Amino acid sequence: MSDTSTYSAMAMQLTARSLERLPDAAAARAAILEHIAEIEGQIRTSSIFVAQYSGKPVKLVVLPEYLFTSYPGRISIEDFAARVGFAANGPEYEALGGVAQRLGMFLAGNAYETDGAFPGFYFQTCFIVAPSGDVVLRYRRLLSMFAPSPHDVWDAYLDKYGLDGVFPVAQTEIGNLAPIASEEILYPEIARALALRGAEVFCHSSSEVGSPIATNKDIAKQARAFENLAYVVSSNTAGISGTAMPLSSAEGNSQVVDWKGRVVAQSGDGETFTAFSTIDLGALREARRTPAMTNYLARQRPALFAEAYAAAAEPFRGPNGMSDGGTPAIPDRDYFRRAQAEIIERLSKAGVI
């Protein structure tokens, strides 16, 4: 791997499609595969333009959050998993692998995924598919308001995947790639945990409100970049079709942030590829290896905070909330609000809030 390698990364701002109005799982599965086939042409033509414009070939494309399905709404966890959950070796990943292979680039995205070890569950999963067609990384979202987390079945999850499966980083010829899912960009601990495992480029798949006023997520993208000396390639949806919600409620502002925290490319509204920029691994790696006040990663002292975090953990959500005697147990949809209300009450009693 060359320290001086440079390439273009592109955040594809595309419309997510809700499948909730389709009649059955077969129709939903067919729509997913059709959508995957459609994006190949969009990525190919966009990458040709970017390569001609910038002089650097596109080697990394980041897709928006839940692009092929949208979010589950009030559908039960078990029903949604059966309807649209990607299996690890299923046809959806095979189709995405074919796209990555034919285009010769890394493809990062986000989908709901099933796991044979946790029947009936789905996890919101960020994936990275290599030009070989292989899925080289899958990360299950840890912090979500309305979706199961590996932490909810923590003991069983660690037994199967270990900590490497919780905070995965893909070491590739275009750098060390790591995913951040949607609102998790707001939590510095997740990016830091991945940076401490060597992450250099964060692939952020999101579906969020875009605004000319800096949003919480926009601010966080810049912070996660400079505090970890890492690039953030952030792809937002260009709206969500197939729901009663106005189409453009979650669109715009896809962007690339460099390791100094500067927004170097940003899209407007609608479907577009215009959030693209050069990734300069050599400059990033030199900065990480240079003693300086601005080398925030090297100045970090994780041991300082480990004890304080452990001491404060009691009132917050603990592990295994969806386990019953060690066996994963699927909750109803209202569980998520009840659980948060209980945590708020505990935080109040503990004097945290």
Side-chain angles (χ1 to χ4, degrees), residues 14 16 18 54 61 66 92 101 113 117 137 144 176 208 226 228 234 248 256 275 314 341:
L14 301 172
S18 172
S54 67
V61 170
Y66 47 58
E92 296 84 9
Q101 196 168 35
E113 187 177 81
L137 180 148
S144 176
N176 297 338
E208 61 189 72
F226 75 73
N228 293 297
S234 178
S248 297
V256 180
E314 181 60 30

Side-chain angles (χ1 to χ4, degrees), residues 3-272:
D3 280 353
T4 59
S5 64
T6 58
Y7 60 91
S8 292
M10 186 168 65
M12 291 292 291
Q13 189 166 285
L14 301 172
T15 304
R17 297 178 186 173
S18 172
L19 307 179
E20 64 184 37
R21 295 176 179 173
L22 296 183
D24 52 35
R29 298 286 175 176
I32 291 170
L33 293 176
E34 181 181 355
H35 196 178
I36 291 172
E38 284 181 26
I39 68 168
E40 181 171 352
Q42 293 176 306
I43 295 171
R44 176 181 288 109
T45 55
S46 301
S47 64
I48 290 170
F49 177 91
V50 170
Q52 292 176 339
Y53 181 88
S54 67
K56 300 293 182 182
V58 175
K59 294 186 179 180
L60 173 64
V61 170
V62 179
L63 302 174
E65 181 182 14
Y66 47 58
L67 174 64
F68 305 109
T69 63
S70 185
Y71 55 87
R74 296 294 300 174
I75 302 173
S76 73
I77 291 173
E78 197 166 15
D79 287 347
F80 192 69
R83 187 178 180 86
V84 303
F86 290 20
N89 297 309
E92 296 84 9
Y93 281 123
E94 183 179 357
L96 287 164
V99 172
Q101 196 168 35
R102 287 187 292 273
L103 296 177
M105 59 185 64
F106 286 84
L107 197 62
N110 178 276
Y112 293 97
E113 187 177 81
T114 57
D115 188 324
F118 303 94
F121 274 75
Y122 65 77
F123 297 104
Q124 191 179 3
T125 300
C126 292
F127 58 82
I128 297 176
V129 186
S132 64
D134 298 324
V135 178
V136 294
L137 180 148
R138 53 174 32 94
Y139 162 83
R140 271 73 180 267
R141 181 172 172 176
L142 299 172
L143 300 175
S144 176
M145 183 69 184
F146 296 114
S149 161
H151 196 231
D152 293 318
V153 287
W154 192 233
D155 291 341
Y157 200 88
L158 284 180
D159 284 347
K160 183 166 180 61
Y161 295 111
L163 201 60
D164 287 342
V166 177
F167 295 108
V169 175
Q171 297 183 350
T172 78
E173 61 267 29
I174 64 166
N176 297 338
L177 310 180
I180 299 178
S182 190
E183 286 187 330
E184 289 190 325
I185 198 74
L186 301 173
Y187 296 88
E189 297 87 352
I190 289 176
R192 181 71 83 197
L194 293 166
L196 294 176
R197 289 172 170 265
E200 297 172 318
V201 181
F202 293 126
C203 303
H204 179 233
S205 294
S206 191
S207 181
E208 61 189 72
V209 175
S211 171
I213 302 170
T215 66
N216 290 354
K217 283 188 176 181
D218 287 336
I219 295 166
K221 291 165 195 174
Q222 293 180 261
R224 300 298 84 82
F226 75 73
E227 69 193 10
N228 293 297
L229 276 72
Y231 285 94
V232 175
V233 183
S234 178
S235 176
N236 192 21
T237 49
I240 302 173
S241 67
T243 74
M245 183 173 66
L247 176 65
S248 297
S249 298
E251 75 162 339
N253 292 20
S254 294
Q255 58 192 247
V256 180
V257 186
D258 73 6
W259 51 270
K260 292 185 178 182
R262 301 175 299 193
V263 178
V264 292
Q266 182 167 307
S267 295
D269 298 334
E271 291 203 323
T272 180

